[in-house]
Structure formats: structure tokens, C-alpha cells
Amino acid sequence: MRKVDGLEVEGIGFKPQTLKQAKSFSALCLSPFGGGWGRTLALLFIFTIISQTSFAQKKSKNMNDKQIVIYQLLPRLFGNKNTTNIPYGTIEQNGSGKFNDITDKALDGIKELHVNYVWYTGAIAHASLTDYSAYGIKVDDADVVKGRAGSPYAIRDYYDVNPDLAVDVKNRMKEFESLVKRTHAKNLKVIIDFVPNHVARSYHSYAKPKNVIDFGAKDDVTKAFSTQNDFYYVPGQPFVVPTNGQKTPLSGLQDGKFDENPAKATGNDAFTASPKYDDWYETIKLNYGVDYQNGRQNHFEPIPPVWTKMRDILIYWTKKGVDGFRCDMAEMVPIAFWNWVIPQVKKVNPDLIFLGEAYNPQVYKQYLEEGKFDYLYDKVGLYDGLKRLIRNEPHADVAAIRYVWQKESAGFGKNMLRFLENHDEERIASAGFAGKAELALPAMVVSATLGSGPVMLYFGQEVGEPGKGAEGFGGDDNRTTIFDYWGVPNHQKWMNGGLFDGHKLSAAQQNLRAYYKQLLKVTSTSDAVVNGEIYDVPQAGNMNNRMYAFIRYSGNQRLLVVANFDRNQTLEANIEIPDHILKVKNSSPVTDLLTDRKLNIPAGTSIPVKLGPVSAQVIEF
């Protein structure tokens, strides 16, 4: 027996997918097809199964060559060189990055971090207050737009890109397509957001293909729910704009009214004409055939219109060269839809990845197996546990790390995306999180080595971006705004006016980036991380509940990962290596891979470790 992601598995060569296919093959061979066409069909079917198995194995091998490393960025912020930063400033005042700002040099800088996927957040057209009426785009209503630039998750047109991101607005799609080609030319893959649960209240597609019918265009608005409607309605009641009673620089653009009668249900399942200010009031909930107000009854046959519309949208972007979709609030959309749509889209490109934003560990396995997702967020488990340790909270405990891989995602740890920052979360270096980026380095080492699944960086994380200031709608919330036009200070120092050479970074910021670079160099190419098993090191020496060690090992490599989250105490321990791990590979010179320093440790069955406060080691042995 051996352990993989915490599960005991019989036999070294066991492959669940292959075994399932082998059973199908065996059953087929025994079935009484008879002669003639029956035998021919059987042989064709067998050949198809063998071909698909071979393809799956080849694909799996190719995907497992390297750990997936994702770099998330908002083009609106990433390429913006303007440092004015007026709260609620216009695009003319504060500027906006463009697709064209993500140059070959910028992509080279991203690739230095051993990234292989770039997630372009906010590429698809969303509601904003910038006037593009000269280009045939109706101006959005300030009463249902958050911030001046608007939320990237209030999609205004699924078939268009954000005009803010174009140098030549008329050729905005060509500029996006050129970015995709540039990204691919650097051997990087492209991820964009797919926002399936809701659309902007002002949704209207100006760029849709001729045969496409807009969401809601054929709805019966007299019915709260209909299997043929794209939206949910509150018949007989007009939409009421919520307010928090505070004045902002946008108040002069707001009259407290929005023409929507009858009101449509709001994106976060608020089935009311009067959503609250902290609801997703700028969005409309899409109808996938679930009657929420009548016991959540499912009506999936015949296929609801939204399903086919969303499938066509995914295929549209796939044909543009997109390599993956980060699916917003995936759990708010029925599993049955994902089960239906993902295989269809993968027929266009079998190497597509679907990454689900998910927060309920109770249904992770279901969304992976039934829902066909490739990867899900590991937020509630690993991120939350690591955040407590980074912040040195009283109840922080490394037991949270152990629980994640041994219990919560046991058996599918390879399908969990690990991260410490994204657009929804607080910046590590912010006053509300850790106050100092370096305090998260042990957590970053754990995130990158605990599983074989993807690891993600958010632009600016690698140079300690603090997310400081009240940029606009979000206020001073320890995050980099997604609602406003803004310059991102530490990132701009690395960008250096478009040179992307980091010459304006301080020595500490350069060292931080170098640490991320070295760590991801180690983990992204490590056989033990990508293909290996995991062994939980028992407490030894003076290890306490803020110190953790584990071993990743394969037939080609052995790594001892040690993380000390303690703010004051040095970790000192003699780590005993079990015989079964020592036997899998000949000994290597004992090396700290994060520094490339050979450790003067005699050959034996244990490794002495001395590790200072808030630090980590990845030791090859």
C-alpha cells in the first residue's frame, strides 16, 4: 500500500482512470455482439477506447511535466504608468493600462517567475462609467455601476472586450487577439474569467454574432420563474436602487433611479425588487433552470436556453485562443450545467483547463468528479489556515495544513489551486493582513510544495504591494481596487515606465522578487512536487504548533520542506527519515534549494535542521 494525497492505494502502478476504462474494455469484449456489423462496431468502439486512453495518458504526462503556475493581472492596472491616483478619478485623470502595454518585455518578466499561465482579469466588456457612445456603446447608469471603472464581474457584453484596454477602441478585439498571440509566442497560456452566474443590469451585446439572441430578449416578464426565461423576475414591481446614504464624487451622476420594470433578481440570489447596498445590486441572476423560490426545484429537461448560450460563449473565446477559464462563483451554478458544458467545450480544445472559484469543501469532490472541473480554489482550507499563521493569530496552528491534505482534499489535492493573494483577498503587505510581505514566505513555500496542483501569484505580490489607500468604491480595504482607475505603486516600480526591469525597486523588494523566482523555479520543475507523494513529519526537537515539516518524494527526488511561522523561536530538530523513503532513491548531496547552498550534513537516516523565525527551507537529500 502507498499513500497519495492521504489515501492508501494498492499497487505502485494504480491509475484510477485507466482501471475504469479497462473495466469498460473487458465488459465490451464479453458482450454478445454477434457477427457482421456488430463485430465491426465492437472493434471500432474498442479502438476508440484504446485511442482515448492513450490520448489521456499522453495528455496527463504532458500536463504533469511542470507544476502549473498562474499569474493573475488586471490589464487596466498592470500596464498603467500614471501615478496621479485621484480617488474616484476618471480614466483621463488616473489612466488605464492597455492590452498593448503587456509587451514582450512584460511577458518575459512574468515568465522569469516560472509562470506558465497568465490570467487576464477584466478582459471581457463590463459595465463602467466611461463614455464610449462615439463607438456605438450606450453609457452605463451610475446607479448600477460600482466605482468609476466598474466591476469586471458585471459583464455588459460577453462577445466583446473592455474598450478601456484598447489604444484604438474600434480595433479592441484585434488588440486582444494580438495579446493572446504574444502570450502564446512566449510559451505562456491564457486564462480569462467566465462569469456564469450573473450579468450587468445594463447587459446588451453590441458585438454578438448575427445568430445570437441576447439574454432576456425573449423572456416572459410576467412570470417570476419560467424554464424558458434567462432571468428571474419580480412581477409588478420596479427595481429600487439601494443606497448607503453616503456622498461620493459619483453622487452627482446618480439620481437614485434605474429603469427596470419589472425588477430582475440580483446576482447573489436576492429575489427582491429592493436589493441591499451590500448585495450584488449591479448584477442580474441568470436562470439555469433552478426554481429557487419553490424548493430549488430543477428543470433541466429540455436544456434551458442559458445553458446553450453559455456554451456558445465559451466556445467563442476558446476559438480566440483562450486556454482556460477561471469560473466565477462556480458553486452558484448547478453541477449539472458544468457536467454538460465542460466536455462539449473541451471537444474544441481538449487541453483547456477549467478553474472553479469554490468555497464549500463539502462539495469539492462533487464539482471535480460530476462537474468536470480541473481545479478548484483552496481558499477555505489552506488559505484561511495559512493566513492565521502569517498574522500570528492566537489560535493559529499548523494542524490546519495537515487537515487540508489528510482530510479536506484527501485524494484530490492535485486538483486544488493554492494562493496567498488574488483580487478578492487582502494584500499580504497591507496593514490589515501582515503589514510586511516577508512574513508570508513560509506560507508561500507551503502553498507551492504541499500539492501537485497549481499555485498562483497576484501581480504585485512578488514585490510587496500593500494595497494602501481609498481608491474609490472599495475604500481603504487592504486590497488593490478592481472598481477604479488606479496606479499600483510597487508594481509600477518594477514596471519602470514600461521597461519592466525592476530598476526602481528597493533592495528589499528586489530580494522578495528573487525569493519568489527561486522558489517557483524549484517547485515548478520538481519531480517530487509534481509527481511525488507526501509524508507528514512527526513533531521533533522543539517543534511547536507554528512549525511544520513534510517530505515530498518520488523515484527521482526527495525534498524535506520545513516551515517556521513562529515570530520569535528558532526551530531546532533532528528529522528522522523513514526507511521506505530512503529506499526510493539514491542519496543526493544535501542542498537547501532556496539558496542553492550545499549543507554539510553527513550521510545517515536523519537531517538536523536549525531554522530561524519566519523562514523556510526546501532541502533536497
Side-chain angles (χ1 to χ4, degrees):
M1 302 285 273
R2 66 171 182 150
K3 283 193 174 182
V4 179
D5 283 320
L7 289 186
E8 291 189 328
V9 181
E10 189 80 37
I12 295 297
F14 179 78
K15 301 278 187 185
Q17 268 193 316
T18 308
L19 181 65
K20 184 179 180 182
Q21 290 166 335
K23 286 179 179 176
S24 300
F25 174 80
S26 178
L28 182 64
C29 290
L30 294 171
S31 61
F33 266 86
W37 277 110
R39 187 176 292 114
T40 303
L41 286 170
L43 288 170
L44 283 170
F45 190 39
I46 291 168
F47 176 76
T48 301
I49 290 175
I50 293 171
S51 299
Q52 289 177 342
T53 303
S54 175
F55 173 79
Q57 288 171 340
K58 284 179 183 176
K59 181 185 173 188
S60 175
K61 184 178 179 183
N62 291 337
M63 287 179 72
N64 287 341
D65 284 344
K66 285 188 175 183
Q67 182 182 41
I68 289 177
V69 181
I70 300 170
Y71 190 86
Q72 182 193 5
L73 65 87
L74 278 75
R76 185 211 304 151
L77 303 177
F78 182 87
N80 187 19
K81 305 175 188 69
N82 190 319
T83 59
T84 306
N85 285 358
I86 298 170
Y88 285 100
T90 64
I91 193 170
E92 292 80 14
Q93 292 170 321
N94 285 352
S96 174
K98 309 294 181 184
F99 293 131
N100 289 359
D101 290 322
I102 305 169
T103 60
D104 286 337
K105 183 67 176 166
L107 292 167
D108 286 338
I110 292 170
K111 200 170 179 182
E112 281 178 359
L113 296 165
H114 302 276
V115 167
N116 38 42
Y117 279 80
V118 186
W119 168 13
Y120 294 120
T121 302
I124 297 179
H126 58 266
S128 84
L129 298 185
T130 300
D131 186 352
Y132 290 103
S133 56
Y135 302 93
I137 300 169
K138 186 179 177 182
V139 179
D140 285 305
D141 189 317
D143 288 288
V144 288
V145 176
K146 289 181 176 177
R148 198 179 285 274
S151 168
Y153 297 96
I155 300 297
R156 179 186 48 74
D157 187 345
Y158 270 116
Y159 287 98
D160 200 0
V161 292
N162 183 0
D164 284 346
L165 307 180
V167 174
D168 179 357
V169 175
K170 288 181 180 177
N171 289 313
R172 57 191 179 276
M173 186 60 77
K174 288 183 180 178
E175 291 185 24
F176 172 76
E177 291 166 349
S178 294
L179 173 60
V180 172
K181 288 176 183 175
R182 274 197 308 283
T183 308
H184 287 163
K186 294 294 182 181
N187 201 27
L188 295 164
K189 295 193 174 184
V190 172
I191 295 174
I192 65 170
D193 289 282
F194 174 55
V195 189
N197 176 67
H198 49 267
V199 294
R201 285 214 118 84
S202 59
Y203 188 90
H204 177 80
S205 179
Y206 299 95
K208 65 183 182 291
K210 289 182 180 178
N211 61 327
V212 171
I213 299 169
D214 250 354
F215 289 106
K218 292 189 174 183
D219 281 6
D220 181 348
V221 300
T222 66
K223 295 180 179 178
F225 169 80
S226 165
T227 58
Q228 295 305 301
N229 280 358
D230 294 332
F231 299 129
Y232 299 90
Y233 294 88
V234 185
Q237 296 183 47
F239 175 74
V240 179
V241 174
T243 179
N244 66 352
Q246 296 178 1
K247 295 288 183 180
T248 74
L250 300 184
S251 297
L253 302 175
Q254 298 166 335
D255 61 6
K257 300 174 184 177
F258 180 69
D259 187 14
E260 182 182 286
N261 192 3
K264 302 178 180 75
T266 294
N268 61 318
D269 296 356
F271 295 89
T272 171
S274 305
K276 298 174 184 176
Y277 191 76
D278 57 359
D279 284 326
W280 305 346
Y281 65 84
E282 81 280 24
T283 68
I284 307 166
K285 175 81 174 178
L286 285 166
N287 174 9
Y288 283 81
V290 180
D291 189 352
Y292 288 91
Q293 295 176 288
N294 284 292
R296 299 176 70 97
Q297 294 177 36
N298 294 333
H299 301 270
F300 300 154
E301 292 182 13
I303 295 297
V306 165
W307 289 32
T308 55
K309 288 175 180 176
M310 286 302 195
R311 177 200 60 196
D312 294 346
I313 287 162
L314 285 165
I315 289 172
Y316 173 84
W317 291 105
T318 300
K319 288 181 176 179
K320 293 281 184 191
V322 169
D323 304 291
F325 297 94
R326 178 269 188 188
C327 301
D328 186 68
M329 299 305 298
E331 293 165 318
M332 295 186 78
V333 172
I335 289 179
F337 167 72
W338 298 116
N339 175 275
W340 176 84
V341 79
I342 290 176
Q344 291 192 62
V345 183
K346 285 194 174 187
K347 287 178 183 177
V348 180
N349 177 5
D351 292 327
L352 276 174
I353 64 169
F354 280 80
L355 168 60
E357 180 190 13
Y359 299 109
N360 181 5
Q362 302 303 315
V363 295
Y364 284 171
K365 191 174 183 181
Q366 195 176 3
Y367 271 81
L368 290 167
E369 293 182 354
E370 244 183 272
K372 309 292 185 185
F373 275 94
D374 297 291
Y375 307 106
L376 298 176
Y377 271 35
D378 197 344
K379 194 274 180 191
V380 173
L382 191 64
Y383 171 87
D384 284 352
L386 290 175
K387 185 173 184 178
R388 290 191 292 271
L389 287 161
I390 296 166
R391 286 167 47 84
N392 199 32
E393 294 179 10
H395 300 294
D397 196 313
V398 296
I401 302 171
R402 187 178 294 112
Y403 179 80
V404 164
W405 71 267
Q406 291 185 356
K407 301 288 186 182
E408 188 175 274
S409 57
F412 54 86
K414 66 183 183 298
N415 302 107
M416 302 306 291
L417 167 74
R418 272 70 192 248
F419 58 86
L420 294 181
E421 284 191 1
N422 64 40
H423 67 277
D424 283 319
E425 307 301 340
E426 293 177 311
R427 290 286 195 177
I428 296 162
S430 69
F433 191 154
K436 187 179 180 183
E438 288 76 10
L439 292 173
L441 292 180
M444 190 63 212
V445 170
V446 171
S447 291
T449 57
L450 189 66
S452 59
V455 62
M456 185 171 76
L457 299 181
Y458 186 40
F459 84 107
Q461 176 182 344
E462 72 279 14
V463 292
E465 181 58 46
K468 189 177 181 180
E471 309 103 330
F473 179 82
D476 194 356
D477 62 354
N478 304 307
R479 295 166 174 83
T480 295
T481 180
I482 64 170
F483 305 105
D484 305 280
Y485 300 110
W486 202 252
V488 184
N490 283 13
H491 167 71
Q492 287 178 326
K493 292 174 186 176
W494 174 71
M495 182 165 52
N496 191 18
L499 295 176
F500 297 97
D501 58 11
H503 283 182
K504 291 186 177 179
L505 295 172
S506 68
Q509 290 163 345
Q510 289 177 345
N511 289 339
L512 181 65
R513 192 173 195 275
Y515 190 100
Y516 273 92
K517 184 177 173 181
Q518 180 66 14
L519 170 63
L520 294 170
K521 175 187 175 183
V522 170
T523 63
S524 65
T525 57
S526 164
D527 189 66
V529 171
V530 176
N531 299 310
E533 302 175 37
I534 185 168
Y535 167 78
D536 194 37
V537 172
Q539 280 196 336
N542 69 341
M543 290 174 69
N544 60 34
N545 66 350
R546 289 163 197 260
M547 300 170 180
Y548 191 57
F550 57 95
I551 295 171
R552 297 300 309 273
Y553 65 102
S554 67
N556 298 314
Q557 190 181 40
R558 297 181 304 216
L559 302 178
L560 169 63
V561 181
V562 189
N564 183 7
F565 296 92
D566 198 296
R567 295 279 182 98
N568 303 303
Q569 189 168 323
T570 294
L571 186 162
E572 295 187 66
N574 212 43
I575 307 296
E576 296 290 333
I577 310 300
D579 287 344
H580 74 279
I581 294 177
L582 288 171
K583 290 175 182 176
V584 297
K585 179 187 175 295
N586 292 329
S587 296
S588 301
V590 182
T591 307
D592 179 356
L593 296 182
L594 296 183
T595 61
D596 281 331
R597 182 170 60 91
K598 297 288 187 293
L599 303 179
N600 186 22
I601 296 174
T605 60
S606 65
I607 297 175
V609 173
K610 186 174 183 179
L611 190 61
V614 194
S615 58
Q617 282 184 304
V618 179
I619 300 170
E620 186 173 32
F621 64 97

